[in-house]
């Protein structure tokens, strides 16, 4: 999408920047609750997120053929960066647990 121009001014385009807000709690500086799982911030987070998403898939939270939640929505829910969730989703895609349809999103693979 091209940047918007200021109305009637012909000046430089206005830039729209999407900002993500992340919460940080004082009591858990190095760990976060992720479902029933503690995130260990001293280790890479994306494998921990991938393990949680695998657990949800195995538990039937997302049915086969169902659209998988958006990366930004999962990042907000899990209190991690969107790039972390994207890397976890890519790992699940490589395992064959998810597939992507261009322009529609990711879906749960049928067993």
């Amino acid at each position: 999408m091209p940047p918007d121009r200021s109305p009637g001014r012909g000046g430089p385009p206005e830039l729209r920047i999407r900002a993500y807000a992340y919460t940080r709690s004082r009591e858990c500086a190095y760990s976060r609750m992720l479902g029933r799982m503690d995130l260990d911030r001293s280790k890479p987070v994306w494998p921990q997120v991938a393990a949680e998403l695998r657990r949800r898939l195995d538990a039937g939270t997302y049915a086969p053929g169902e659209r998988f939640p958006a990366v930004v929505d999962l990042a907000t829910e899990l209190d991690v960066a969107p790039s972390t969730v994207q890397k976890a989703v890519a790992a699940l895609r490589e395992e064959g647990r998810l597939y992507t349809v261009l322009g529609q999103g990711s879906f749960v693979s049928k067993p």
Side-chain angles (χ1 to χ4, degrees):
M1 177 165 83
D4 294 334
R5 293 228 174 248
S6 301
R9 292 189 184 223
E14 294 177 19
L15 298 178
R16 293 183 181 172
I17 300 171
R18 179 181 287 180
Y20 298 98
Y22 301 104
T23 60
R24 299 289 183 235
S25 63
R26 284 181 232 151
E27 11 353 291
C28 299
Y30 295 104
S31 67
R32 300 274 181 268
M33 285 304 293
L34 177 64
R36 287 185 247 166
M37 172 183 138
D38 283 320
L39 275 178
D40 182 359
R41 297 288 177 156
S42 67
K43 298 177 184 173
V45 176
W46 74 266
Q48 297 173 68
V49 172
E52 172 63 16
L53 296 177
R54 268 188 222 99
R55 185 191 65 76
R56 291 181 182 188
L57 288 168
D58 292 340
T61 304
Y62 309 112
E66 181 182 346
R67 186 164 190 242
F68 200 67
V71 167
V72 174
D73 295 338
L74 285 170
T76 302
E77 177 186 339
L78 303 176
D79 192 27
V80 295
S83 59
T84 302
V85 176
Q86 183 63 43
K87 197 165 183 180
V89 167
L92 294 175
R93 194 178 308 115
E94 286 178 18
E95 294 172 11
R97 303 189 103 186
L98 298 176
Y99 65 94
T100 302
V101 177
L102 190 61
Q104 294 183 14
S106 295
F107 295 85
V108 179
S109 297
K110 296 179 181 174

